Amino acid sequence: MAGRKSAVLRRIVNKDGHNNVCIDNVEGMVKLYLHDIWTTAVDMKWRYKLTLFASTFIMTWFIFGVIFYIIGMGNGDFEPGLSSNHTPCVLNVQTLTGAFLFSLESQTTIGYGFRCISEACPLAIFTPVAQLVITGLAEIFATGAFLAKLVRPKKRAETIKLGQSAVVCRRRGQLCLMLRVANMRKSLLIQSQLTGKLFQSNVTEEGEKTQIHQSSVDFHMDSSGESPFLILPLTFYHVLDERSPLSGLTAENLLTRDFELLVTLNATMESTAAMCQSRTSYVPQEILWGYEFKPALFSTPSGRYVANFKFFDKVQASNDPAFVSNNTEKLKLEEDYKKK
């Protein structure tokens, strides 16, 4: 039983929407990531991103500092007892530290005026030109990747709240699976669409067993089929009829079924017209049979509406007579399942 319970709780997508699938044994993974270096840089974690951003500057300063130092060595600028008519390639640079400081001053256009290039070395003249071109491109890439990650629509999706649990109750005389969605910012989300995917094992007519089979689960706000106005907490529903992938779901077999329902909300931000996506998933233990959501929208005497998120995830037993008679038996089944 412990093994079966562990299998039921296995998730493809975590509650916070992050992918829980590990990719392993891919041949040439590093080559694939480097081939699409922009996506790799944008998808980096912040600690790696900050390291890349800082190292881009530090390494280019150091590399070209070494180049200037090698040019000086080739010109004999660091040899003792130089004649008075010897013109060094870079004036006032006698050590690698000085060459590093000159590289830094050149790349950042500080130009203190103490260190400078003479006209005696064409290679030394060409090097800062190459440095500004190469490091300029590197800095544009690092800065662009940094800003792209900072302004990703993914951050906006974190202010879209999907309910921690789903409920099964009746709506307009039909048995429905219902869940809540809310926008926690005043900025609007337009063209909102909620879709679902059901992951479960499946056996084909030919006897082939699929460990993870995907089925589409349609969610509706009302019968119009239009995109809802996501400014208030909304409840979406899926009808559990014979066309549903969840057909045959009952209070008795809910906790013994092995499936995961992935819910995805796609919306467009009104301010930037960028698409954002929020995801979560529900396993059978997070679907409450015979319950309904408590009201989370209230009106004030001043004529305003208040969305109280204290009640967003609160549920209450349904008053439908079809569920009242089964509540006691359902609670007993849940307690027995938890004990096992």
Side-chain angles (χ1 to χ4, degrees):
M1 182 65 190
R4 185 176 67 179
K5 183 176 180 180
S6 175
V8 171
L9 295 177
R10 187 181 297 119
R11 310 184 80 106
I12 297 176
V13 177
N14 293 327
K15 291 298 290 182
D16 57 4
H18 287 87
N19 187 358
N20 201 33
V21 177
C22 178
I23 300 176
D24 196 9
N25 295 326
V26 178
E27 185 178 354
M29 175 67 77
V30 175
K31 183 179 179 181
L32 293 174
Y33 273 61
L34 292 177
H35 186 71
D36 188 11
I37 188 65
W38 173 254
T39 303
T40 302
V42 173
D43 289 342
M44 279 182 180
K45 295 182 179 180
W46 274 111
R47 55 180 177 269
Y48 302 130
K49 180 79 68 179
L50 294 173
T51 302
L52 174 65
F53 186 77
S55 62
T56 300
F57 291 91
I58 296 173
M59 291 303 296
T60 53
W61 296 338
F62 179 76
I63 290 173
F64 280 94
V66 172
I67 294 175
F68 283 117
Y69 185 75
I70 294 174
I71 292 174
M73 289 180 61
N75 193 48
D77 297 342
F78 309 133
E79 295 179 1
L82 294 174
S83 61
S84 59
N85 60 354
H86 178 79
T87 304
C89 290
V90 183
L91 302 177
N92 300 310
V93 171
Q94 287 82 33
T95 62
L96 180 59
T97 303
F100 172 78
L101 292 174
F102 175 72
S103 174
L104 186 154
E105 294 165 12
S106 300
Q107 186 170 328
T108 57
T109 65
I110 294 176
Y112 291 121
F114 179 70
R115 302 177 182 88
C116 60
I117 297 176
S118 68
E119 300 177 357
C121 298
L123 183 58
I125 297 173
F126 172 78
T127 302
V129 176
Q131 179 181 7
L132 294 178
V133 173
I134 295 173
T135 58
L137 294 174
E139 291 170 7
I140 289 172
F141 179 86
T143 305
F146 187 89
L147 293 177
K149 188 175 182 66
L150 193 64
V151 300
R152 301 179 75 176
K154 182 179 179 180
K155 296 300 179 183
R156 179 62 177 91
E158 293 178 358
T159 56
I160 301 174
K161 187 173 179 62
L162 296 169
Q164 291 295 313
S165 59
V167 299
V168 177
C169 60
R170 290 193 177 276
R171 178 186 176 90
R172 298 178 180 177
Q174 294 179 307
L175 192 64
C176 297
L177 173 69
M178 309 179 71
L179 53 89
R180 260 184 177 171
V181 178
N183 176 18
M184 296 187 291
R185 297 179 70 100
K186 287 188 176 181
S187 58
L188 298 181
L189 292 172
I190 57 179
Q191 298 179 354
S192 304
Q193 293 183 344
L194 189 75
T195 59
K197 288 290 184 181
L198 185 68
F199 300 114
Q200 60 182 348
S201 59
N202 181 56
V203 179
T204 64
E205 296 180 357
E206 294 76 17
E208 180 183 358
K209 184 175 182 180
T210 306
Q211 185 174 2
I212 301 296
H213 176 73
Q214 299 186 29
S215 303
S216 297
V217 180
D218 298 326
F219 283 91
H220 307 278
M221 178 62 197
D222 50 34
S223 59
S224 64
E226 297 178 356
S227 300
F229 192 58
L230 191 56
I231 190 174
L232 304 172
L234 301 178
T235 301
F236 289 82
Y237 67 91
H238 167 72
V239 180
L240 298 174
D241 55 13
E242 64 279 358
R243 296 172 296 179
S244 169
L246 288 169
S247 61
L249 191 67
T250 64
E252 291 76 17
N253 66 17
L254 174 60
L255 295 178
T256 59
R257 293 279 294 268
D258 185 8
F259 66 85
E260 179 180 351
L261 177 61
L262 170 63
V263 176
T264 304
L265 177 71
N266 295 299
T268 303
M269 295 184 289
E270 184 187 40
S271 55
T272 62
M275 290 288 296
C276 64
Q277 184 181 92
S278 182
R279 296 183 299 270
T280 191
S281 70
Y282 301 93
V283 293
Q285 289 77 8
E286 296 164 347
I287 299 177
L288 306 177
W289 189 279
Y291 286 84
E292 59 187 14
F293 292 113
K294 286 186 176 181
L297 186 65
F298 306 92
S299 59
T300 63
S302 61
R304 301 183 64 184
Y305 287 98
V306 176
N308 192 338
F309 283 91
K310 177 182 178 181
F311 300 97
F312 184 81
D313 289 314
K314 301 293 184 180
V315 297
Q316 60 187 8
S318 175
N319 294 325
D320 193 317
F323 293 109
V324 173
S325 59
N326 292 330
N327 278 341
T328 303
E329 183 180 356
K330 174 183 173 297
L331 291 174
K332 183 179 179 181
L333 288 172
E334 289 181 349
E335 290 177 359
D336 294 341
Y337 186 84
K338 290 178 180 179
K339 289 179 181 179
K340 293 180 180 179

